[in-house]
Amino acid sequence: MSAETSVPRPRKSGVDISDSGLLQGLLSQSPFAFAFFDPEGRFHRVDEVFADVVGLPAERLVGRTPGEMLSADLTALIEGSVRAIAEGAEVEGDQRIRVRTADGETHHWSLTFSPVHDDEGTLRAVCLVGVDITESRQVEEDLRRSEERYRSLVEAQSQLVWITAPTGAVLEDAPQWRAITGQGLEEYLAHGWLDAVHPEDRQYTEEAWHEALRGRTMFEWSYRARTRASGYRHFEVRAVPIIRHGRVVEWVGANTDVTPQREAEEMRGRLTD
């Protein structure tokens, strides 16, 4: 189970969880999966959501241990967390697990474990709260696939992507740029990329870049960049500011190697002459 949803931890209370009508109402109406364990790790009470998740009637679980009723991976997670809380140790707040439903679907759940104390501070129970985060996991998966498709498209088009701070200083690595130019990471960062630009193009490129930064406008330019073999290749460059709440938070750019096109144009020009 897994979840981005933040589940509040139960506060210390003298409420008797075995007799509380308020708790019973909560368990029957909540979309969360609840389970309470005694300090020895036996099921004390579960709601119908939890029962549906594990595929067992609630009444069969009460008084039994997870090891008697549940799968090995879920048992290990629950028993380890209950044992840690009983011993006074900290338990990771968001633990994720996958559960296959009776109809064959896989759901992702996030589990949170919390101690329940009485007014004297004695541990009365351990509370498990589960949240179904299947939809949010699907959103994450869709986003990951979109990023992979975009990256594949960029690579197929021989584009070199880079990112800078709002000031135009490079803060993140661009392995493709360094693979082409031979620059080390420290040489590339900040404004070091300009050192790889052809000396005849460097000043104009820097001025055009600063003009785009000041105006927060699209940067469109072309220059020659030095390669590992000390030759130069032609690049067309585009960069746009990413603006949130009226402020530039970063610049994202892409260089396209247009050397073959330039060489073809030069060849046509020579033939024409």
Side-chain angles (χ1 to χ4, degrees), residues 99-172:
V99 176
R100 185 174 294 276
T101 63
D103 56 7
E105 294 184 357
T106 298
H107 281 235
H108 297 267
W109 285 80
S110 172
L111 300 182
T112 302
F113 295 85
S114 305
V116 178
H117 298 93
D118 61 19
D119 291 337
E120 284 70 43
T122 302
L123 180 68
R124 296 291 306 280
V126 175
C127 175
L128 176 159
V129 181
V131 182
D132 188 339
I133 59 162
T134 305
E135 290 187 7
S136 61
R137 279 295 297 267
Q138 186 60 50
V139 170
E140 291 178 1
E141 179 66 15
D142 291 344
L143 179 60
R144 184 185 63 80
R145 289 180 179 176
S146 295
E147 291 174 344
E148 289 177 348
R149 290 167 182 162
Y150 171 74
R151 183 166 57 251
S152 298
L153 179 61
V154 167
E155 291 174 354
Q157 294 177 339
S158 300
Q159 288 187 321
L160 184 160
V161 177
W162 45 270
I163 299 173
T164 78
T167 60
V170 175
L171 302 178
E172 299 183 21

Side-chain angles (χ1 to χ4, degrees), residues 26-70:
L26 175 64
L27 295 181
S28 64
Q29 299 298 322
S30 172
F32 300 143
F34 281 99
F36 290 89
F37 302 87
D38 63 26
E40 286 71 44
R42 293 185 296 269
F43 282 102
H44 187 80
R45 173 170 287 183
V46 301
D47 70 349
E48 291 301 325
V49 177
F50 183 89
D52 288 342
V53 169
V54 298
L56 293 168
E59 57 271 16
R60 286 189 58 192
L61 295 171
V62 175
R64 310 295 290 273
T65 65
E68 296 176 287
M69 307 300 293
L70 306 182

Side-chain angles (χ1 to χ4, degrees), residues 241-256:
I242 306 301
I243 300 175
R244 295 194 193 116
H245 307 298
R247 299 180 60 185
V248 176
V249 295
E250 64 184 7
W251 286 76
V252 178
N255 290 16
T256 304

Side-chain angles (χ1 to χ4, degrees), residues 131-272:
V131 182
D132 188 339
I133 59 162
T134 305
E135 290 187 7
S136 61
R137 279 295 297 267
Q138 186 60 50
V139 170
E140 291 178 1
E141 179 66 15
D142 291 344
L143 179 60
R144 184 185 63 80
R145 289 180 179 176
S146 295
E147 291 174 344
E148 289 177 348
R149 290 167 182 162
Y150 171 74
R151 183 166 57 251
S152 298
L153 179 61
V154 167
E155 291 174 354
Q157 294 177 339
S158 300
Q159 288 187 321
L160 184 160
V161 177
W162 45 270
I163 299 173
T164 78
T167 60
V170 175
L171 302 178
E172 299 183 21
D173 191 11
Q176 289 173 293
W177 170 269
R178 295 196 297 106
I180 292 171
T181 64
Q183 284 188 308
L185 179 58
E186 294 302 319
E187 294 176 298
Y188 167 67
L189 294 176
H191 303 285
W193 61 273
L194 280 165
D195 294 336
V197 176
H198 193 288
E200 294 179 3
D201 302 337
R202 191 174 302 156
Q203 180 180 345
Y204 299 111
T205 298
E206 184 174 14
E207 291 174 354
W209 175 228
H210 287 162
E211 182 64 27
L213 292 172
R214 286 192 295 269
R216 306 200 307 181
T217 58
M218 178 184 291
F219 176 63
E220 295 184 277
W221 201 251
S222 62
Y223 56 67
R224 291 163 290 176
R226 184 183 66 247
T227 66
R228 285 178 177 271
S230 298
Y232 285 88
R233 298 190 70 83
H234 295 269
F235 287 92
E236 287 185 352
V237 188
R238 284 190 176 186
V240 293
I242 306 301
I243 300 175
R244 295 194 193 116
H245 307 298
R247 299 180 60 185
V248 176
V249 295
E250 64 184 7
W251 286 76
V252 178
N255 290 16
T256 304
D257 189 338
V258 294
T259 304
Q261 296 92 309
R262 289 296 182 91
E263 291 177 344
E265 290 172 1
E266 292 174 0
M267 178 63 73
R268 282 195 297 270
R270 287 197 292 272
L271 291 173
T272 302

